[in-house]
Amino acid sequence: MDKLVLTSSLTAQNNKRSNQQLRGKIELSIRELEKRLSGRTWGVSATKRYLDALVAGTALLALSPVLLIIALLIKLTSRGPVFFVQQRTGYRGRRFGMFKFRTMVVNAEELKAQLRHLNHHGPDSVDFKIKRDPRITWIGRWLRGTSLDELPNLINVLRGDMRLVGPRPTSFDARTYLDHHLDRLNAYPGITGLWQISGRSNIDFDERVQLDRRYILQQSFWLDLKILLKTPIKVISGDGAG
């Protein structure tokens, strides 16, 4: 019993030390990037926060009939909840629950290890994408192809976890990031971003980080507007959807 308590204590201390080291790396990365921002703080400003929340709230009200129909289709065609809430990595490495319409079978996460060899980015990649993923339900395939599964992300924008535009939040936490990946944590994650209008799932994680870094360095209201206007075109074309 004493040995078990000691082991648990050592594990907790190691985790605390690891988290402190990670926070230190993130802060250093953010300070270095901020030196190049020349006072541009649109991405983390209160103006963007409340403007995005206003747009998200309006969109949720306007789209409520569509959301209800999608929810009914999911409930009637597969077993499990309507929403899938997945832990994602956001601003400064903070974890939060991101809302999406469920597009997979209920035991999808359990099946992930068995399918890693089919990963589009390679079996050892932190990104996990499979062409024609067998875990996706038939209604889920349609939702993903149209990106309608991501409409509940608007709830996260209302809550303040996300913004309309920013780096896409990863399912893997910041401990998995290499040091040069940490720059992307200097902005709140977004529903859409440069990645979505530049290839989506066809782009690997290192390329996504470069696009995220470019977005952070060039951040502005007008860049956000440009990305938001281009996103529907990419969604309709289906380029890179997965």
Side-chain angles (χ1 to χ4, degrees):
M1 186 68 175
D2 291 342
K3 185 177 181 180
L4 181 61
V5 171
L6 180 60
T7 302
S8 299
S9 177
L10 288 173
T11 301
Q13 289 176 11
N14 288 336
N15 287 338
K16 185 177 179 181
R17 190 178 300 113
S18 175
N19 289 337
Q20 288 174 341
Q21 291 173 346
L22 177 62
R23 282 197 295 270
K25 283 185 177 182
I26 292 172
E27 290 299 326
L28 178 61
S29 175
I30 287 173
R31 281 199 300 271
E32 290 298 316
L33 198 57
E34 284 176 342
K35 291 177 184 177
R36 298 188 56 189
L37 289 175
S38 305
R40 292 193 299 274
T41 57
W42 166 253
V44 295
S45 67
T47 303
K48 176 169 177 168
R49 159 75 177 105
Y50 294 117
L51 180 61
D52 283 8
L54 177 62
V55 173
T58 304
L60 282 170
L61 285 174
L63 294 169
S64 56
V66 176
L67 299 175
L68 181 59
I69 291 170
I70 292 173
L72 286 172
L73 285 172
I74 293 170
K75 204 66 183 172
L76 292 172
T77 57
S78 63
R79 183 174 59 87
V82 167
F83 294 114
F84 174 58
V85 183
Q86 186 181 45
Q87 287 298 303
R88 294 287 183 118
T89 298
Y91 181 56
R92 292 180 178 257
R94 298 166 190 161
R95 298 286 280 175
F96 69 95
M98 189 180 79
F99 292 87
K100 297 182 74 171
F101 279 124
R102 182 176 58 82
T103 59
M104 290 187 172
V105 294
V106 288
N107 63 334
E109 288 298 308
E110 297 167 23
L111 297 172
K112 198 171 183 179
Q114 301 173 28
L115 300 170
R116 185 160 289 279
H117 65 287
L118 299 175
N119 190 2
H120 174 67
H121 298 294
D124 299 321
S125 174
V126 290
D127 254 350
F128 191 80
K129 291 282 183 181
I130 300 176
K131 297 292 185 183
R132 308 298 297 180
D133 194 324
R135 301 172 301 164
I136 301 176
T137 63
W138 72 268
I139 192 69
R141 199 168 301 283
W142 172 70
L143 289 172
R144 286 187 171 214
T146 56
S147 293
L148 290 173
D149 63 312
E150 295 180 2
L151 286 178
N153 288 178
L154 292 167
I155 297 170
N156 291 109
V157 177
L158 270 180
R159 285 161 51 109
D161 304 317
M162 296 175 64
R163 303 291 184 264
L164 294 177
V165 179
R168 193 63 181 160
T170 57
S171 57
F172 45 93
D173 68 34
R175 282 188 289 265
T176 312
Y177 287 24
L178 299 178
D179 287 354
H180 68 277
H181 295 159
L182 297 174
D183 287 350
R184 73 191 307 275
L185 301 177
N186 194 27
Y188 280 92
I191 293 178
T192 187
L194 284 179
W195 172 47
Q196 276 78 2
I197 65 170
S198 305
R200 300 168 76 187
S201 60
N202 293 328
I203 293 177
D204 67 25
F205 188 58
D206 281 326
E207 290 174 298
R208 281 171 59 185
V209 171
Q210 290 302 314
L211 289 170
D212 294 335
R213 196 170 195 274
R214 195 173 101 199
Y215 169 76
I216 292 167
L217 290 172
Q218 297 175 358
Q219 59 183 286
S220 70
F221 169 81
W222 298 111
L223 178 57
D224 279 9
L225 185 60
K226 179 181 175 182
I227 291 170
L228 287 169
L229 291 174
K230 282 189 172 185
T231 297
I233 299 171
K234 277 292 180 179
V235 170
I236 292 169
S237 71
D239 181 34

